[in-house]
Amino acid sequence: MDMSVFDLFKIGIGPSSSHTVGPMVAARRFLLECGSLENAIGVEAHLYGSLALTGIGHATDKAVILGLMGETPQDIDPDSVEDRLAEAELDGVIKLLGTKEVPFTQKANLVWHKASTLPEHPNGMRFVLQLRDGSLIERVYYSVGGGFITAAGESQARAEQAPAVDIPFPFATMQQLLDQGRQHGLSIPHMLRANELARMTEAELDAGLDRIWAVMRDCIAHGLVTDGQLPGGLNVKRRAAKLWKAAHCDLGNRINELPHDSTHQVTLYAMAVNEENAAGGRVVTAPTNGAAGIIPAVVRYYAEDCRPSDAVAGIRVFLLTAAAIGMLCKKNASISGAEVGCQGEVGVACAMAAAGLVAALGGSNERVENAAEIGIEHHLGMTCDPIGGLVQIPCIERNGMGAIKAITAASLALKGDGTHFVSLDNVIETMRQTGADMQVKYKETSLGGLAVHVITVNHAAC
């Protein structure tokens, strides 16, 4: 498997990796692949399947426009988005890749195909560039989860891989990783580190991992002090900041010392991140935006509550190990809610966090596998049914619950001897098959589950 830890952990903006980050990347890639834009006179974006059905709630429209402007998820200032979009809509023009000005309005140039799905994935999009001589350049792309995209006919394996390099510990299954660990006497994070060092220097790797944690940490911190109402029309109030304050001080301004406070705080860490995500803030895709709160919450729990002797080194071990689990899930099943439901997002993030925590606490490879397997097993069949197509209900609380499940899975694995009945490879395959069997209305279309049993705003006119 030639995938990097930085493929799994991407710095971007909310609210969705598949519906926001992926479409932004695809729109920009389309124009770059068109070559010269000198003769361009117009552009259209056509959205299909899940992108069309829940695109408004997931800010797909905004993402596509920003991508056409040449913006990238990792570099754009989240605070500038609304003003830039409002200005473009008012003027009725956008600058393609920031250079070529063409007419553009959302009503005329964004087309939502809610009753159609393109053949290769539920998250399909088609871009059309109109040239002065009357000819068209047209391309189809798919947003396949976690911010990954593919062009039509391009294999996911090719599109998702880092540039091909000879890595010392190739693996396609957990069993292969375990076998190599036994053969060479190495831990999973040690082998993942060696693979990354085939692509970059030690300093580059550590700086990248530290940067990922810094963005995660800052996202938690910002979410724990920011209140107000989330955008989108559901009128959902942020809760993490208020609950965080209440968890630390009672009316007499004394520190709360209830026995469950540490786990309550973990829940709030995760909720804080996903409230930031729902508001379109800066987050790390881990492995998706919809599940972005789980790993940061468990990493902070490790750094502050587990009292490691070297938190910096432990966090790097945590992230490398978590990435290994994410790679296996991505390769052998899916991390796309539109493809397999929320088991592929929150379930995978829980497994990644559980495995990372076990490794950071010195657990064996077998215990790492056990923790990851528990994390996924107890999310099997979880649907993706966001109310109003927004990454808010049940997504925000679901991250808090997923973080607690990850800690529980890690605890169970660490207290065992590493032997267990169900292998991680088996449970990943089960997740894939469960996703294939799941009805489409439960896979990020907002056509079933909570999304249709709760009265919500009507996005049909958007």
Side-chain angles (χ1 to χ4, degrees):
M1 185 184 301
D2 194 17
M3 196 183 301
S4 169
V5 60
F6 302 113
D7 293 327
L8 269 296
F9 297 119
K10 301 182 181 76
I11 297 171
I13 62 171
S16 172
S17 49
S18 61
H19 286 57
T20 313
V21 175
M24 189 186 301
V25 172
R28 182 174 182 270
R29 174 177 163 180
F30 166 66
L31 292 179
L32 290 172
E33 291 179 346
C34 286
S36 173
L37 300 175
E38 182 179 350
N39 294 316
I41 61 170
V43 67
E44 290 182 351
H46 297 255
L47 303 168
Y48 296 83
S50 177
L51 290 182
L53 289 164
T54 62
I56 293 293
H58 286 68
T60 306
D61 50 342
K62 300 176 183 180
V64 166
I65 296 169
L66 292 168
L68 293 173
M69 290 177 174
E71 296 291 348
T72 61
Q74 65 270 24
D75 294 323
I76 192 169
D77 176 8
D79 294 332
S80 72
V81 167
E82 294 303 328
D83 286 344
R84 294 191 61 191
L85 292 172
E87 181 181 357
E89 188 68 12
L90 181 63
D91 294 342
V93 297
I94 61 172
K95 286 187 177 181
L96 302 180
L97 297 183
T99 59
K100 176 62 176 179
E101 195 171 86
V102 299
F104 190 97
T105 65
Q106 295 189 40
K107 184 176 182 179
N109 300 93
L110 277 177
V111 185
W112 306 86
H113 299 271
K114 295 185 177 182
S116 302
T117 301
L118 296 179
E120 296 180 29
H121 193 277
N123 293 332
M125 61 201 111
R126 180 168 57 90
F127 297 99
V128 181
L129 187 70
Q130 302 156 351
L131 302 180
R132 187 172 288 113
D133 63 4
S135 63
L136 303 175
I137 300 176
E138 185 173 347
R139 300 262 167 77
V140 170
Y141 300 89
Y142 297 92
S143 181
V144 296
F148 292 97
I149 64 167
T150 62
E154 179 181 41
S155 71
Q156 287 192 32
R158 175 170 160 246
E160 292 161 11
Q161 289 174 354
V165 295
D166 291 328
I167 57 176
F169 302 105
F171 64 97
T173 65
M174 175 54 83
Q175 189 58 54
Q176 291 175 359
L177 202 53
L178 291 173
D179 290 345
Q180 291 193 80
R182 295 187 189 105
Q183 179 183 350
H184 300 286
L186 297 174
S187 69
I188 289 172
H190 187 111
M191 290 184 285
L192 264 290
R193 173 170 282 273
N195 286 351
E196 294 297 327
L197 293 179
R199 305 182 179 95
M200 65 193 77
T201 67
E202 191 120 25
E204 289 170 335
L205 174 59
D206 287 340
L209 293 171
D210 294 347
R211 171 64 175 154
I212 292 298
W213 167 235
V215 175
M216 289 178 171
R217 182 191 62 220
D218 291 349
C219 186
I220 294 173
H222 194 268
L224 290 177
V225 297
T226 306
D227 54 18
Q229 188 168 286
L230 295 173
L234 287 181
N235 301 323
V236 173
K237 292 183 179 180
R238 287 180 180 247
R239 290 181 291 162
K242 181 179 179 180
L243 292 172
W244 176 253
K245 184 177 181 180
H248 284 74
C249 298
D250 62 16
L251 293 177
N253 201 35
R254 292 174 297 172
I255 298 298
N256 224 330
E257 295 180 351
L258 294 176
H260 63 274
D261 273 359
S262 61
T263 54
H264 178 57
Q265 290 181 175
V266 171
T267 302
L268 297 186
Y269 300 155
M271 289 177 61
V273 171
N274 281 82
E275 287 177 355
E276 286 292 292
N277 178 64
R282 174 77 64 216
V283 298
V284 175
T285 299
T288 68
N289 283 32
I294 294 171
I295 290 172
V298 180
V299 172
R300 180 161 168 174
Y301 166 81
Y302 162 75
E304 295 186 0
D305 291 280
C306 296
R307 298 180 177 86
S309 58
D310 187 346
V312 173
I315 290 169
R316 293 169 182 168
V317 164
F318 189 120
L319 294 175
L320 287 166
T321 307
I325 305 305
M327 292 174 190
L328 289 169
C329 294
K330 178 66 179 164
K331 175 178 175 58
N332 297 319
S334 175
I335 57 172
S336 168
E339 196 167 21
V340 296
C342 199
Q343 59 177 351
E345 297 201 31
V346 164
V348 171
C350 176
M352 292 170 67
L357 181 57
V358 169
L361 293 173
S364 65
N365 290 347
E366 289 74 20
R367 289 181 174 89
V368 167
E369 186 215 7
N370 189 194
E373 181 275 322
I374 294 170
I376 293 181
E377 181 179 341
H378 297 290
H379 286 91
L380 286 174
M382 180 175 279
T383 59
C384 184
D385 51 354
I387 296 176
L390 298 164
V391 193
Q392 298 179 19
I393 303 173
C395 319
I396 294 170
E397 287 182 354
R398 190 169 282 179
N399 273 257
M401 299 298 291
I404 297 302
K405 283 187 177 183
I407 294 171
T408 302
S411 177
L412 288 170
L414 283 168
K415 291 173 182 176
D417 61 5
T419 60
H420 48 285
F421 195 82
V422 180
S423 73
L424 178 62
D425 291 329
N426 282 339
V427 82
I428 291 174
E429 173 58 18
T430 302
M431 180 177 70
R432 187 194 67 78
Q433 292 181 12
T434 302
D437 292 341
M438 191 180 292
Q439 294 183 48
V440 171
K441 67 180 181 179
Y442 296 119
K443 295 193 283 190
E444 209 168 4
T445 59
S446 288
L447 296 175
L450 286 175
V452 299
H453 287 97
V454 177
I455 298 175
T456 184
V457 292
N458 181 12
H459 292 284
C462 297

